[in-house]
Amino acid sequence: MLGPAILMGQSKHRENCLSLGLDCDRIPRHIAIIMDGNGRWAKERNESRVFGHIHGVNAVRSSVEAALELGVRHLTLYAFSTENWSRPAEEVNALMDLLVTTLVKEVESLGDKGVRLRTIGDLSALPIDCQEQLRLAEDGTKNLQSLDLILALNYSSKWELVEAIKQLMKSDIDPKDLTADDVARNLSTNQIPDPELMIRTSGEHRISNFMLWQLSYAELYFTPTLWPDFSKEHFYESVRDFQNRDRRFGGIMDANRTMSKKG
Ligand code: FPP
């Protein structure tokens, strides 16, 4: 049975969806975002790339708030890829510092809103203070249930799949019995449902080594908006677009919009 707090949350989500013209029963459970365009946003203003990342934090805040308003259960943000280490050391260090200062500043208010912070990726390569703040934030919010905010840090899909294969090769599963569920259980997103909607900002149309397995059936939404400009309204718009898609999962939709499998 659902508790009173959850029921109250659900009626608030319904009210919010109604006022935004969204269908509360078709809100994606999991939205994943490739936050792109911080550097270009800064360049347009003759500022350093780091200036763009600093302003990108506002868009993170807006997206978390919008996800909470609509009742999205999981929000994954691609914050640092395994390829991002090839950027100048000054930019990498600034990004790590920004992560630490943001966590220190925001973790309490995230907790007050019921946000559980989680991570995917190889954290062992991150600076020690960064690992420590992440551990504190993950521990301190682990029982919260309004929204899982999942930061992909030192993450890439190929890294994750190689790690999963290594685990499977050490397991006692007979290769001929191996299933897609066995693979999914060995990914860093084990127990987290696959994203139904993937948003990429800045006009690029690529997946960039992000959740390749998990995005198999996700709806992809590309917007020219640069990440620091991505507002709550942009977030709602992406969900509106999602709600206008026909999701067929390889089947066919009949006239009553019910699903039947292709033979
Ligand atoms: C991509 O834009 C952005 C990143 C690699 C970093 C994203 C980081 C943040 C939004 C700030 C910190 C995040 C958290 C969760 C506190 P880009 O630099 O590739 O932009 P460009 O393509 O215009 O050069």
Side-chain angles (χ1 to χ4, degrees):
M1 217 172 78
L2 299 175
I6 294 184
L7 285 173
M8 210 156 79
Q10 284 179 351
S11 79
K12 191 78 202 143
H13 299 149
R14 204 160 279 283
E15 225 176 85
N16 293 336
C17 288
L18 202 64
S19 71
L20 292 162
L22 293 168
D23 179 349
C24 189
D25 297 319
R26 288 182 64 212
I27 295 296
R29 256 193 318 171
H30 184 173
I31 299 182
I33 309 185
I34 302 182
M35 311 181 284
D36 196 10
N38 294 349
R40 276 162 284 168
W41 187 90
K43 196 169 177 207
E44 283 173 2
R45 289 160 180 78
N46 286 321
E47 294 282 357
S48 71
R49 298 177 53 78
V50 173
F51 185 78
H53 296 316
I54 292 169
H55 282 265
V57 176
N58 297 333
V60 170
R61 208 175 288 118
S62 303
S63 297
V64 169
E65 282 170 16
L68 282 164
E69 283 169 17
L70 301 186
V72 173
R73 272 298 281 114
H74 309 270
L75 177 68
T76 299
L77 303 177
Y78 202 7
F80 194 87
S81 74
T82 53
E83 288 81 17
N84 287 151
W85 294 108
S86 64
R87 295 185 178 212
E90 191 194 335
E91 183 177 345
V92 171
N93 294 338
L95 273 170
M96 296 299 159
D97 285 348
L98 188 57
L99 186 66
V100 173
T101 50
T102 307
L103 282 171
V104 170
K105 214 162 79 187
E106 308 270 342
V107 75
E108 202 175 316
S109 92
L110 286 175
D112 290 345
K113 292 173 188 145
V115 177
R116 174 180 179 184
L117 190 104
R118 304 175 77 165
T119 54
I120 53 173
D122 181 7
L123 300 192
S124 69
L126 301 184
I128 295 295
D129 60 336
C130 206
Q131 291 183 42
E132 184 56 18
Q133 285 307 327
L134 286 164
R135 197 187 57 74
L136 286 172
E138 286 190 84
D139 276 1
T141 60
K142 66 175 184 249
N143 296 321
L144 302 178
Q145 291 183 24
S146 295
L147 170 72
D148 280 5
L149 173 61
I150 304 155
L151 298 183
L153 289 161
N154 193 22
Y155 171 88
S156 78
S157 211
K158 288 190 178 181
W159 163 81
E160 176 184 53
L161 284 165
V162 169
E163 291 305 307
I165 292 165
K166 284 184 196 165
Q167 292 306 318
L168 288 164
M169 287 176 81
K170 280 193 277 182
S171 76
D172 51 13
I173 301 176
D174 188 326
K176 72 173 176 355
D177 298 328
L178 187 71
T179 65
D181 283 345
D182 294 325
V183 177
R185 259 193 302 277
N186 283 278
L187 299 175
S188 45
T189 47
N190 177 28
Q191 308 284 345
I192 300 171
D194 287 347
E196 289 165 285
L197 171 63
M198 194 286 289
I199 302 169
R200 183 173 189 150
T201 57
S202 92
E204 305 293 351
H205 295 78
R206 285 190 295 278
I207 307 289
S208 298
N209 212 349
F210 181 53
M211 299 186 112
L212 300 178
W213 176 279
Q214 297 90 335
L215 292 178
S216 299
Y217 275 103
E219 296 297 326
L220 307 182
Y221 179 82
F222 299 100
T223 167
T225 305
L226 301 176
W227 179 250
D229 288 331
F230 193 79
S231 63
K232 287 209 247 182
E233 283 66 33
H234 290 108
F235 191 97
Y236 306 143
E237 188 48 41
S238 70
V239 173
R240 197 167 289 121
D241 187 90
F242 169 85
Q243 295 193 338
N244 286 326
R245 309 260 180 114
D246 276 342
R247 307 196 73 214
R248 293 193 295 273
F249 305 96
I252 50 173
M253 190 79 75
D254 67 23
N256 301 319
R257 291 175 70 87
T258 51
M259 290 287 304
S260 53
K261 287 250 163 69
K262 254 183 190 160

